Amino acid sequence: MTERAGWRYTVLVPAVLALLSMIGPFSIDTPFPAFPDMGRDLAVDTGALQLIVTVYLGSFALMSVFHGPLSDAVGRRPVMIGGVAVYVLASLGCVVAGSLPLLLVFRALQGLSAGGATIVSRTVIRDLFEGPQAQRLMSRVAIIFGLAPAVGPLLGGVLLQLGPWQLIFGFQAALGVLLIWSVLFLLPETHPAERRVPLRVGAVLGGLVEVGRVGTFHRRGWATALIFGAQFLYIGGAALFVVDVLGQGELDFWKLFVPMIGSMMLGSWLCGRAAGRISARRLISWGCTTSFVGGVVGVVIAATSWGDRMPWAIVGVALIALGNGVSYPTFQLMLLDRFPARRGAVVSLATFLALVLNAVTAVAVVPVIGGSALGFAVAALIGVGAGQLCWAWHCALEDRDCAVSADVGEREPVELL
């Protein structure tokens, strides 16, 4: 590989993939600062405006199971380009929408299409690289991806200073055009025709069934989803936690998000630095343990008079996020390596599990536990504890299988030619 080609694959490609993966979460919270203006223009209250988020998330989850398997059948680039193209049209539709029902239609279309970029982009690094290099690049993507929840509201606020709320959706459309250009001219097709599955409904859905029936996928997938779900408790319940529990103002959300996201980015950086030096299994174990310790620390602090005071109230969730940053990129690679012919289906199904869990958390759990710091902390500890148990269960079965294989090898030696 020439120096120029090496720079393209180690710098440009990860940057493009990170932007593609950001578009999903970035589209969720960028409109938040515009809610008051949107409410006045569309003559609706805050409760109705919450549908702008709910409809987007529901549509994203619904379509998330199909983007990956489609990319296994037709290639990565067509799904990413097609998805982002529809996203651009949907964003322009949001610009011209003159009523809430019409705006919700285009937000649903945004959600249905954004996964083409967010989900499929995660498979490309493993298509291109393996071993420590794949882990380093996956961690770089995770670092940039982690910026999306923090950058979105800030950028939305800046755009509101320059024009009306429609400018936010116009910016999303322009970002989509930039991403299409980047995929066309900077990103190679990483899933060649000879490795693709037939483009038939049975074959595409069969990939999901093939992945979903394997216990290894569920043990690793649920470990990831549950531990990140503990962190999502604070994301989904930020309005309750920051304003009601901590008594902060409506402009003080950064006091939660900056330490939490900064910790996750630090963990992703440490994951990249550990590539080739620490085994994947040990690295994930360290990350899971760090998150579990964060859950325990969160409960201990919440049970004291410091539980609703800054900065002590966010120490636990910051440690949970740190552990997530360490383990998440490696978890992704382990899942992709387990199903090399069905990488798109793996990412789609794992994303769907996480989205469903996060939706249940936001709708059913946060309203119940959101009245106190201790409620948040206990629920988070249950999440990281369940995730830790899933990972420990997987490691125990893996050790048992290795022991059985070694025993069989000793009793039935293979004859060398």
Side-chain angles (χ1 to χ4, degrees), residues 120-414:
V120 177
S121 62
R122 299 178 191 176
T123 67
V124 174
I125 283 183
R126 189 58 192 87
D127 288 342
L128 287 171
F129 303 102
E130 57 185 37
Q133 191 170 16
Q135 183 175 324
R136 281 191 291 269
L137 295 182
M138 188 71 83
S139 66
R140 291 179 193 173
V141 169
I143 290 172
I144 301 175
F145 173 81
L147 288 172
V151 171
L154 294 177
L155 182 58
V158 171
L159 291 171
L160 280 179
Q161 304 302 311
L162 303 176
W165 60 265
Q166 289 88 347
L167 187 60
I168 293 175
F169 295 106
F171 178 85
Q172 291 178 352
L175 176 62
V177 172
L178 174 63
L179 290 177
I180 291 174
W181 180 89
S182 300
V183 173
L184 284 173
F185 294 101
L186 299 177
L187 203 62
E189 175 54 65
T190 61
H191 192 55
E194 62 271 16
R195 296 209 311 235
R196 297 175 190 173
V197 299
L199 183 56
R200 298 193 305 268
V201 174
V204 171
L205 296 181
L208 295 171
V209 174
E210 178 184 337
V211 172
R213 66 192 300 177
V214 177
T216 301
F217 167 81
H218 286 283
R219 291 189 295 273
R220 294 175 179 174
W222 280 111
T224 311
L226 285 164
I227 294 175
F228 183 79
Q231 181 181 335
F232 188 82
L233 275 170
Y234 292 85
I235 298 174
L240 290 173
F241 185 72
V242 173
V243 179
D244 296 344
V245 175
L246 302 185
Q248 302 292 307
E250 295 180 354
L251 299 179
D252 292 327
F253 287 91
W254 66 270
K255 295 180 181 180
L256 168 66
F257 282 102
V258 170
M260 182 170 60
I261 293 169
S263 296
M264 191 166 185
M265 292 173 65
L266 173 61
S268 297
W269 179 80
L270 292 173
C271 177
R273 294 288 296 174
R277 304 175 183 179
I278 301 173
S279 69
R281 175 169 161 169
R282 179 172 295 179
L283 192 62
I284 290 175
S285 295
W286 286 359
C288 292
T289 301
T290 301
S291 293
F292 183 74
V293 169
V296 174
V297 168
V299 170
V300 171
I301 292 177
T304 69
S305 59
W306 294 351
D308 56 358
R309 299 179 188 177
M310 297 290 290
W312 311 109
I314 60 169
V315 171
V317 68
L319 286 172
I320 292 173
L322 177 65
N324 269 320
V326 171
S327 60
Y328 186 80
T330 312
F331 259 131
Q332 291 281 299
L333 288 173
M334 285 186 108
L335 285 171
L336 291 169
D337 286 343
R338 178 61 179 81
F339 304 91
R342 296 286 190 176
R343 287 172 182 157
V346 169
V347 176
S348 276
L349 200 54
T351 301
F352 180 75
L353 292 180
L355 287 171
V356 170
L357 180 64
N358 291 343
V360 171
T361 296
V363 173
V365 178
V366 169
V368 175
I369 55 92
S372 68
L374 185 59
F376 273 97
V378 170
L381 178 59
I382 291 172
V384 293
Q388 180 83 306
L389 287 175
C390 286
W391 175 245
W393 181 22
H394 170 75
C395 291
L397 292 179
E398 192 174 60
D399 290 341
R400 183 201 65 184
D401 292 343
C402 288
V404 170
S405 298
D407 183 57
V408 170
E410 290 176 3
R411 287 187 288 107
E412 300 177 7
V414 177

